[in-house]
Short mmCIF file of all heavy atoms in Angstrom, two decimals:
data_model
loop_
_atom_site.label_atom_id
_atom_site.label_comp_id
_atom_site.label_asym_id
_atom_site.label_seq_id
_atom_site.Cartn_x
_atom_site.Cartn_y
_atom_site.Cartn_z
N SER F 1 -24.81 -5.73 -16.51
CA SER F 1 -23.98 -4.57 -16.82
C SER F 1 -23.75 -3.73 -15.57
O SER F 1 -22.63 -3.27 -15.33
CB SER F 1 -24.65 -3.73 -17.91
OG SER F 1 -23.95 -2.54 -18.12
N ASP F 2 -24.81 -3.53 -14.77
CA ASP F 2 -24.66 -2.78 -13.52
C ASP F 2 -23.70 -3.50 -12.58
O ASP F 2 -22.89 -2.88 -11.90
CB ASP F 2 -26.02 -2.57 -12.85
CG ASP F 2 -26.92 -1.62 -13.62
OD1 ASP F 2 -26.40 -0.89 -14.49
OD2 ASP F 2 -28.14 -1.63 -13.35
N GLY F 3 -23.80 -4.81 -12.54
CA GLY F 3 -22.90 -5.61 -11.70
C GLY F 3 -21.45 -5.45 -12.13
O GLY F 3 -20.56 -5.29 -11.30
N PHE F 4 -21.21 -5.47 -13.44
CA PHE F 4 -19.84 -5.28 -13.94
C PHE F 4 -19.35 -3.86 -13.65
O PHE F 4 -18.19 -3.66 -13.32
CB PHE F 4 -19.76 -5.57 -15.45
CG PHE F 4 -19.76 -7.02 -15.78
CD1 PHE F 4 -20.72 -7.56 -16.61
CD2 PHE F 4 -18.80 -7.87 -15.24
CE1 PHE F 4 -20.72 -8.91 -16.91
CE2 PHE F 4 -18.78 -9.22 -15.54
CZ PHE F 4 -19.76 -9.73 -16.38
N THR F 5 -20.25 -2.89 -13.77
CA THR F 5 -19.87 -1.50 -13.47
C THR F 5 -19.49 -1.37 -11.99
O THR F 5 -18.47 -0.75 -11.66
CB THR F 5 -21.02 -0.54 -13.81
OG1 THR F 5 -21.35 -0.70 -15.19
CG2 THR F 5 -20.63 0.90 -13.54
N ASP F 6 -20.31 -1.97 -11.12
CA ASP F 6 -19.99 -1.93 -9.69
C ASP F 6 -18.68 -2.65 -9.41
O ASP F 6 -17.86 -2.18 -8.62
CB ASP F 6 -21.12 -2.57 -8.87
CG ASP F 6 -22.39 -1.74 -8.88
OD1 ASP F 6 -22.32 -0.54 -9.25
OD2 ASP F 6 -23.46 -2.30 -8.54
N TYR F 7 -18.49 -3.79 -10.05
CA TYR F 7 -17.25 -4.54 -9.85
C TYR F 7 -16.05 -3.72 -10.33
O TYR F 7 -15.02 -3.68 -9.66
CB TYR F 7 -17.31 -5.87 -10.62
CG TYR F 7 -15.99 -6.59 -10.61
CD1 TYR F 7 -15.55 -7.26 -9.48
CD2 TYR F 7 -15.15 -6.56 -11.73
CE1 TYR F 7 -14.33 -7.90 -9.46
CE2 TYR F 7 -13.93 -7.19 -11.71
CZ TYR F 7 -13.52 -7.87 -10.58
OH TYR F 7 -12.30 -8.49 -10.57
N ARG F 8 -16.19 -3.05 -11.45
CA ARG F 8 -15.10 -2.23 -11.98
C ARG F 8 -14.74 -1.10 -11.01
O ARG F 8 -13.57 -0.82 -10.76
CB ARG F 8 -15.49 -1.66 -13.33
CG ARG F 8 -14.40 -0.86 -13.99
CD ARG F 8 -14.79 -0.48 -15.43
NE ARG F 8 -13.73 0.25 -16.05
CZ ARG F 8 -13.72 1.58 -16.19
NH1 ARG F 8 -14.72 2.29 -15.75
NH2 ARG F 8 -12.70 2.18 -16.77
N LYS F 9 -15.76 -0.46 -10.44
CA LYS F 9 -15.52 0.61 -9.45
C LYS F 9 -14.79 0.05 -8.23
O LYS F 9 -13.83 0.65 -7.74
CB LYS F 9 -16.83 1.25 -9.01
CG LYS F 9 -17.46 2.18 -10.02
CD LYS F 9 -18.76 2.75 -9.48
CE LYS F 9 -19.49 3.57 -10.53
NZ LYS F 9 -20.80 4.04 -10.03
N MET F 10 -15.26 -1.10 -7.75
CA MET F 10 -14.62 -1.70 -6.58
C MET F 10 -13.19 -2.10 -6.89
O MET F 10 -12.28 -1.91 -6.07
CB MET F 10 -15.41 -2.92 -6.10
CG MET F 10 -16.69 -2.56 -5.41
SD MET F 10 -17.63 -3.92 -4.65
CE MET F 10 -17.06 -5.38 -5.38
N ALA F 11 -12.97 -2.64 -8.08
CA ALA F 11 -11.61 -3.05 -8.46
C ALA F 11 -10.69 -1.84 -8.56
O ALA F 11 -9.54 -1.87 -8.10
CB ALA F 11 -11.64 -3.81 -9.77
N ARG F 12 -11.18 -0.77 -9.15
CA ARG F 12 -10.36 0.45 -9.26
C ARG F 12 -10.07 1.04 -7.89
O ARG F 12 -8.94 1.46 -7.61
CB ARG F 12 -11.07 1.49 -10.13
CG ARG F 12 -11.07 1.13 -11.60
CD ARG F 12 -11.76 2.17 -12.40
NE ARG F 12 -11.01 3.42 -12.27
CZ ARG F 12 -11.08 4.40 -13.13
NH1 ARG F 12 -11.85 4.31 -14.17
NH2 ARG F 12 -10.38 5.49 -12.95
N ASN F 13 -11.08 1.05 -7.00
CA ASN F 13 -10.87 1.56 -5.64
C ASN F 13 -9.87 0.69 -4.89
O ASN F 13 -9.02 1.20 -4.17
CB ASN F 13 -12.18 1.63 -4.88
CG ASN F 13 -13.11 2.70 -5.40
OD1 ASN F 13 -12.71 3.58 -6.15
ND2 ASN F 13 -14.37 2.62 -5.03
N SER F 14 -9.96 -0.61 -5.07
CA SER F 14 -9.03 -1.53 -4.41
C SER F 14 -7.61 -1.33 -4.93
O SER F 14 -6.64 -1.32 -4.16
CB SER F 14 -9.45 -2.98 -4.62
OG SER F 14 -10.67 -3.23 -3.99
N LEU F 15 -7.49 -1.17 -6.22
CA LEU F 15 -6.17 -0.93 -6.82
C LEU F 15 -5.58 0.37 -6.31
O LEU F 15 -4.40 0.43 -5.93
CB LEU F 15 -6.28 -0.91 -8.35
CG LEU F 15 -4.99 -0.65 -9.12
CD1 LEU F 15 -4.01 -1.79 -8.88
CD2 LEU F 15 -5.27 -0.48 -10.59
N LEU F 16 -6.39 1.40 -6.25
CA LEU F 16 -5.94 2.70 -5.75
C LEU F 16 -5.52 2.60 -4.29
O LEU F 16 -4.48 3.12 -3.89
CB LEU F 16 -7.06 3.72 -5.93
CG LEU F 16 -6.74 5.19 -5.77
CD1 LEU F 16 -5.61 5.61 -6.69
CD2 LEU F 16 -7.97 6.03 -6.06
N ALA F 17 -6.33 1.90 -3.49
CA ALA F 17 -5.99 1.72 -2.07
C ALA F 17 -4.69 0.94 -1.92
O ALA F 17 -3.86 1.25 -1.05
CB ALA F 17 -7.13 1.00 -1.35
N GLY F 18 -4.48 -0.06 -2.76
CA GLY F 18 -3.24 -0.83 -2.71
C GLY F 18 -2.03 0.02 -3.06
O GLY F 18 -0.97 -0.10 -2.43
N ARG F 19 -2.18 0.89 -4.04
CA ARG F 19 -1.07 1.78 -4.41
C ARG F 19 -0.77 2.78 -3.30
O ARG F 19 0.39 3.07 -3.01
CB ARG F 19 -1.40 2.50 -5.72
CG ARG F 19 -1.35 1.56 -6.92
CD ARG F 19 -1.63 2.25 -8.22
NE ARG F 19 -0.65 3.27 -8.49
CZ ARG F 19 -0.85 4.27 -9.35
NH1 ARG F 19 -1.99 4.35 -10.00
NH2 ARG F 19 0.08 5.17 -9.55
N VAL F 20 -1.83 3.30 -2.66
CA VAL F 20 -1.62 4.21 -1.52
C VAL F 20 -0.88 3.47 -0.42
O VAL F 20 0.08 4.00 0.17
CB VAL F 20 -2.97 4.76 -0.99
CG1 VAL F 20 -2.80 5.45 0.35
CG2 VAL F 20 -3.58 5.74 -1.99
N GLN F 21 -1.30 2.25 -0.17
CA GLN F 21 -0.68 1.47 0.90
C GLN F 21 0.80 1.18 0.59
O GLN F 21 1.66 1.32 1.46
CB GLN F 21 -1.45 0.17 1.08
CG GLN F 21 -1.11 -0.60 2.32
CD GLN F 21 -2.03 -1.79 2.51
OE1 GLN F 21 -2.70 -2.24 1.58
NE2 GLN F 21 -2.06 -2.31 3.71
N SER F 22 1.11 0.81 -0.64
CA SER F 22 2.50 0.51 -0.97
C SER F 22 3.37 1.76 -0.94
O SER F 22 4.51 1.73 -0.45
CB SER F 22 2.60 -0.18 -2.34
OG SER F 22 2.24 0.71 -3.37
N ASP F 23 2.84 2.88 -1.42
CA ASP F 23 3.62 4.12 -1.36
C ASP F 23 3.79 4.60 0.07
O ASP F 23 4.84 5.14 0.44
CB ASP F 23 2.97 5.21 -2.22
CG ASP F 23 3.29 5.05 -3.69
OD1 ASP F 23 4.07 4.15 -4.04
OD2 ASP F 23 2.74 5.84 -4.50
N MET F 24 2.78 4.39 0.91
CA MET F 24 2.90 4.77 2.32
C MET F 24 3.96 3.92 3.00
O MET F 24 4.71 4.40 3.86
CB MET F 24 1.54 4.63 3.03
CG MET F 24 1.53 5.22 4.40
SD MET F 24 1.89 6.99 4.39
CE MET F 24 2.75 7.13 5.94
N LEU F 25 4.05 2.66 2.62
CA LEU F 25 5.11 1.80 3.15
C LEU F 25 6.48 2.36 2.77
O LEU F 25 7.40 2.40 3.60
CB LEU F 25 4.96 0.37 2.63
CG LEU F 25 6.04 -0.61 3.05
CD1 LEU F 25 6.04 -0.81 4.56
CD2 LEU F 25 5.85 -1.94 2.34
N MET F 26 6.61 2.84 1.54
CA MET F 26 7.88 3.42 1.11
C MET F 26 8.17 4.72 1.86
O MET F 26 9.33 5.04 2.15
CB MET F 26 7.88 3.65 -0.40
CG MET F 26 7.85 2.36 -1.21
SD MET F 26 9.14 1.18 -0.76
CE MET F 26 10.61 2.08 -1.22
N VAL F 27 7.14 5.48 2.20
CA VAL F 27 7.31 6.69 3.00
C VAL F 27 7.88 6.30 4.36
O VAL F 27 8.84 6.91 4.86
CB VAL F 27 5.97 7.46 3.17
CG1 VAL F 27 6.06 8.52 4.24
CG2 VAL F 27 5.55 8.08 1.85
N ARG F 28 7.30 5.27 4.96
CA ARG F 28 7.78 4.79 6.27
C ARG F 28 9.22 4.31 6.19
O ARG F 28 10.05 4.60 7.05
CB ARG F 28 6.90 3.63 6.76
CG ARG F 28 5.75 4.05 7.58
CD ARG F 28 5.07 2.86 8.28
NE ARG F 28 5.92 2.35 9.33
CZ ARG F 28 6.25 1.07 9.47
NH1 ARG F 28 5.83 0.17 8.63
NH2 ARG F 28 7.01 0.68 10.47
N ILE F 29 9.53 3.53 5.15
CA ILE F 29 10.88 2.99 5.01
C ILE F 29 11.89 4.12 4.85
O ILE F 29 12.96 4.10 5.46
CB ILE F 29 10.95 1.99 3.85
CG1 ILE F 29 10.21 0.70 4.22
CG2 ILE F 29 12.39 1.68 3.45
CD1 ILE F 29 10.03 -0.28 3.08
N SER F 30 11.56 5.12 4.03
CA SER F 30 12.51 6.22 3.82
C SER F 30 12.68 7.04 5.10
O SER F 30 13.77 7.53 5.38
CB SER F 30 12.08 7.10 2.64
OG SER F 30 10.82 7.66 2.86
N SER F 31 11.62 7.18 5.90
CA SER F 31 11.78 7.91 7.17
C SER F 31 12.64 7.11 8.14
O SER F 31 13.47 7.67 8.86
CB SER F 31 10.43 8.25 7.78
OG SER F 31 9.71 7.09 8.13
N LYS F 32 12.48 5.79 8.16
CA LYS F 32 13.32 4.95 9.03
C LYS F 32 14.78 5.00 8.56
O LYS F 32 15.70 5.03 9.38
CB LYS F 32 12.81 3.51 9.03
CG LYS F 32 11.55 3.32 9.85
CD LYS F 32 11.03 1.91 9.78
CE LYS F 32 11.91 1.02 10.60
NZ LYS F 32 11.36 -0.36 10.69
N LYS F 33 14.99 5.00 7.24
CA LYS F 33 16.36 5.12 6.72
C LYS F 33 16.98 6.44 7.15
O LYS F 33 18.17 6.50 7.46
CB LYS F 33 16.37 5.01 5.19
CG LYS F 33 16.24 3.63 4.65
CD LYS F 33 16.32 3.70 3.12
CE LYS F 33 16.08 2.38 2.47
NZ LYS F 33 16.09 2.52 0.99
#
């Protein structure tokens, strides 16, 4: 259960980091436009 909880936290953090990265890419693209 602790392993699944840790995995869930890591998965959520990874998902959040991916969303930040994709939105930052859109920030860059809009500034270049």
